[in-house]
Amino acid sequence: MRKRRKILTVSTAVVAAATLPLLISPVVSAAAREDDDSSRIARLYAPPPDRDSYRQVARLAWRGDFRDSAGLLAMVRTPQAVWYGDESPERVERLVRRTTRSADMQGRLPVLALYNIPGRDCGSYSSGGADGLAAYEAWIDAVAEGIGDHKVLIVLEPDSLSLLPSDCADESNAEQTAVEELPTEQQPAAEEQLATEQQPAAEQPPTDLPPLPDPGASTGPPTASAAQDAAQSPDAQSPDAQSPDPRLPASEDPAPRPAEAQEPSGPEPSASRSPAPEPSTEQPGTLPELPPLPTPDPATPDAEDVGDPDTPVVEDPETAARYSEINYAVDALTALGNTSVYLDAGHAGWHSVTSIVPRLIKAGIDRATGFALNVSHYQTDPDSSWYGRLISSCLAYADEGGDPEDCADQSWSRRQARRWLHAHIPDDPGRMKHFVTDTSRNGQGPWAPRAGVHRDAQSWCNPPARGLGRRPTTRTGDALMDAALWVKTPGESDGRCLRGTDGPLDPVRGTVNPDAGEWFPEQALELVRYAEPSVKVFRRFPGR
């Protein structure tokens, strides 16, 4: 009798898990309705979900948690980008061809995130990439072969321009340098503080996550922080509410944070990593009758060695190669005819406008469709929209011969920036570069860790209590924004997130996070439960 009951229980759970997609198809339709209604120009492609995500859906259904299971299933079946990187040229060509053909058969537009640049992520959690320029060019050629004449939207190499090889030394040595620059009498105290912070008490995220919000109820965030309050203030308008005039948004949003809080201190690029050989000190003895060569007067150097404004700035070899790689990819992919290529421009809390625009210009933005913002990050939609508008305006200004250093920056007041926009940007929006934004995890805005708790907070790495953002769509209500996309796969880990400790625990979560790109069940549920707008898991019928 007991054995029969156990078999019946197992069979019921298996049937529930297997039929869940059919049972909640109205749920998925309701969750994706925004995309279906607003993507008349281009309906976006939803790739097959991660197998581990379906396993989590089945486990939730097994224990009777149908609400969480339905919300998670709606998330993984929402259109999102397909990532490629580290595959061989032969394999990536085959995979890309399979994806583009599948999307074409469904009449949908696939979004491809290409992530194979050499020296990727400064050797951090997502390290890897092709082995040099020649290998990368072969890989890009294979991707182009796989795309063929299919219509594709490409987000090219996230973080490749906002995190150049010349930035890597500053990223890895920032903490050590900060200690070394302290006065001698303060160094012992600093060392004691660092030793203490390497073993911080775990900040436990809420163990009982809040239930999924009722579709008819208010969708306010479950927690409040400075970043969230800013994102929900009356001045923070959604992109759909913005004026279609790209030169002058209608909303009077408050000014973003100052540039000094956003701009990382970039190291000076070195000319070479190998020292120059020392000149020989031997003097020739076979021609004593010849006079010695004249020595140049150090007080009067050659005029062409100084003060020449046309002399190019010497970059380190890795950074110069990075620009060559991106330029090659832009040319190879845009030559296909049906591809839209967007370059990396970081996010509003990272580089200033005057810092990222010269990088975009060197990378070939003039031949690309535009640029991508907030990939795998958490900046709010209003901040990303304003930042994108300023970048696009600065690019147009530079294209007319202006100096990017004179451009309006996100640290300026809105009033001051609008005056600059009125004076300098072109009347024709068609002459301005467009952009796309990643809204996969920005529903609650950026995470604000407690100051002084962690040696390196890594606020970008699996922050707690974040939520899904705006659903993917190509109708944005913004003349310069081509699409709001889910570029980062929601539910996949950013990495181990040691936050300056020796690990293996993430001191914020108190657990060992999965490696970068692996499924993170706890974070996946957080994204569903803290989503803004909320995930609708029950269908409302007329008259009810």
Side-chain angles (χ1 to χ4, degrees):
M1 186 68 177
R2 184 177 300 174
K3 183 176 181 181
R4 183 179 301 174
R5 185 177 301 170
K6 182 177 181 181
I7 294 175
L8 180 61
T9 302
V10 172
S11 301
T12 303
V14 171
V15 170
T19 59
L20 184 62
L22 299 177
L23 293 174
I24 67 169
S25 57
V27 173
V28 178
S29 299
R33 186 173 299 147
E34 178 184 351
D35 176 63
D36 292 340
D37 290 344
S38 61
S39 299
R40 295 168 184 164
I41 297 177
R43 301 178 67 194
L44 298 172
Y45 173 70
D50 186 284
R51 291 183 179 180
D52 288 334
S53 69
Y54 267 169
R55 292 190 183 100
Q56 186 178 5
V57 169
R59 284 196 301 269
L60 292 169
W62 179 293
R63 68 189 191 197
D65 193 349
F66 294 106
R67 189 179 183 87
D68 281 344
S69 181
L72 188 63
L73 185 63
M75 179 184 81
V76 301
R77 293 181 64 178
T78 298
Q80 49 200 272
V82 186
W83 287 68
Y84 295 106
D86 298 327
E87 302 91 353
S88 67
E90 295 78 12
R91 177 170 172 77
V92 77
E93 178 181 346
R94 183 169 62 253
L95 293 176
V96 170
R97 180 176 289 111
R98 181 188 304 171
T99 295
T100 54
R101 286 180 176 176
S102 176
D104 190 54
M105 291 176 61
Q106 299 177 28
R108 293 179 176 265
L109 175 68
V111 178
L112 308 184
L114 305 185
Y115 195 51
N116 196 36
I117 202 76
R120 187 177 67 199
D121 197 30
C122 287
S124 186
Y125 299 129
S126 297
S127 61
D131 186 17
L133 175 60
Y136 184 71
E137 291 178 351
W139 192 83
I140 287 294
D141 289 342
V143 171
E145 286 291 329
I147 294 173
D149 59 354
H150 294 287
K151 191 172 183 180
V152 173
L153 190 156
I154 296 175
V155 177
L156 182 62
E157 300 297 346
D159 289 350
S160 60
L161 297 178
S162 51
L163 192 59
L164 291 171
S166 57
D167 301 325
C168 293
D170 186 60
E171 288 283 326
S172 60
N173 297 331
E175 298 160 2
Q176 179 180 354
T177 304
V179 175
E180 290 175 349
E181 290 179 350
L182 288 173
T184 307
E185 61 272 12
Q186 295 182 13
Q187 287 189 13
E191 293 173 358
E192 293 177 4
Q193 181 181 359
L194 291 177
T196 304
E197 290 177 353
Q198 285 181 356
Q199 310 238 345
E203 289 181 22
Q204 295 294 342
T207 54
D208 295 327
L209 295 174
L212 288 170
D214 184 77
S218 172
T219 58
T223 59
S225 67
Q228 296 166 5
D229 291 340
Q232 296 167 0
S233 64
D235 293 334
Q237 301 293 330
S238 66
D240 289 331
Q242 293 179 355
S243 167
D245 183 359
R247 297 174 299 157
L248 183 59
S251 62
E252 288 287 342
D253 297 326
R257 293 177 297 277
E260 54 266 25
Q262 300 172 358
E263 178 73 7
S265 56
E268 294 293 334
S270 59
S272 175
R273 290 182 177 265
S274 58
E278 296 183 1
S280 174
T281 57
E282 294 185 6
Q283 300 293 332
T286 57
L287 298 174
E289 68 279 4
L290 293 177
L293 292 174
T295 303
D297 184 2
T300 58
D302 294 338
E304 56 188 27
D305 290 338
V306 295
D308 186 358
D310 296 328
T311 302
V313 178
V314 178
E315 294 172 335
D316 63 277
E318 290 83 0
T319 298
R322 173 68 55 87
Y323 285 123
S324 298
E325 291 148 6
I326 298 297
N327 273 277
Y328 183 88
V330 169
D331 291 336
L333 296 171
T334 56
L336 299 175
N338 286 326
T339 56
S340 302
V341 180
Y342 297 85
L343 305 187
D344 165 54
H347 60 77
W350 197 345
H351 286 279
S352 66
V353 172
T354 57
S355 169
I356 198 64
V357 164
R359 300 185 181 202
L360 289 169
I361 294 173
K362 289 182 182 179
I365 189 66
D366 59 319
R367 305 185 307 283
T369 309
F371 52 94
L373 297 175
N374 202 44
V375 175
S376 300
H377 287 275
Y378 306 86
Q379 300 297 312
T380 64
D381 289 343
D383 284 347
S384 293
S385 180
W386 178 246
Y387 185 56
R389 189 178 304 276
L390 293 177
I391 291 176
S392 182
S393 302
C394 187
L395 287 169
Y397 176 70
D399 190 53
E400 294 294 328
D403 186 351
E405 288 292 332
D406 299 332
C407 290
D409 195 75
Q410 71 263 41
S411 63
W412 292 19
S413 69
R414 292 297 174 97
R415 186 184 303 275
Q416 183 184 11
R418 286 192 176 94
R419 283 201 298 265
W420 188 92
L421 294 177
H422 273 302
H424 295 290
I425 67 173
D427 295 330
D428 181 12
R431 295 169 55 192
M432 301 175 68
K433 288 296 180 180
H434 291 200
F435 60 92
V436 297
T437 63
D438 185 358
T439 62
S440 60
R441 304 188 298 180
N442 72 339
Q444 296 298 330
W447 176 52
R450 289 187 296 172
V453 174
H454 309 291
R455 179 179 178 182
D456 182 6
Q458 293 181 335
S459 59
W460 52 268
C461 194
N462 296 334
R466 301 303 92 192
L468 299 170
R470 185 184 185 186
R471 307 303 180 261
T473 179
T474 56
R475 176 184 282 180
T476 64
D478 188 325
L480 293 178
M481 185 190 299
D482 288 342
L485 306 172
W486 282 9
V487 182
K488 171 68 177 181
T489 305
E492 287 189 357
S493 174
D494 295 313
R496 288 299 180 94
C497 308
L498 303 181
R499 309 189 198 279
T501 69
D502 293 332
L505 296 180
D506 175 354
V508 170
R509 293 181 174 272
T511 60
V512 177
N513 296 343
D515 289 328
E518 294 185 1
W519 189 254
F520 195 171
E522 292 79 10
Q523 187 189 70
L525 271 183
E526 289 175 0
L527 292 174
V528 171
R529 290 181 168 184
Y530 290 103
E532 180 60 41
S534 62
V535 177
K536 297 180 177 66
V537 295
F538 292 107
R539 196 175 190 177
R540 287 188 177 275
F541 296 94
R544 294 190 180 182

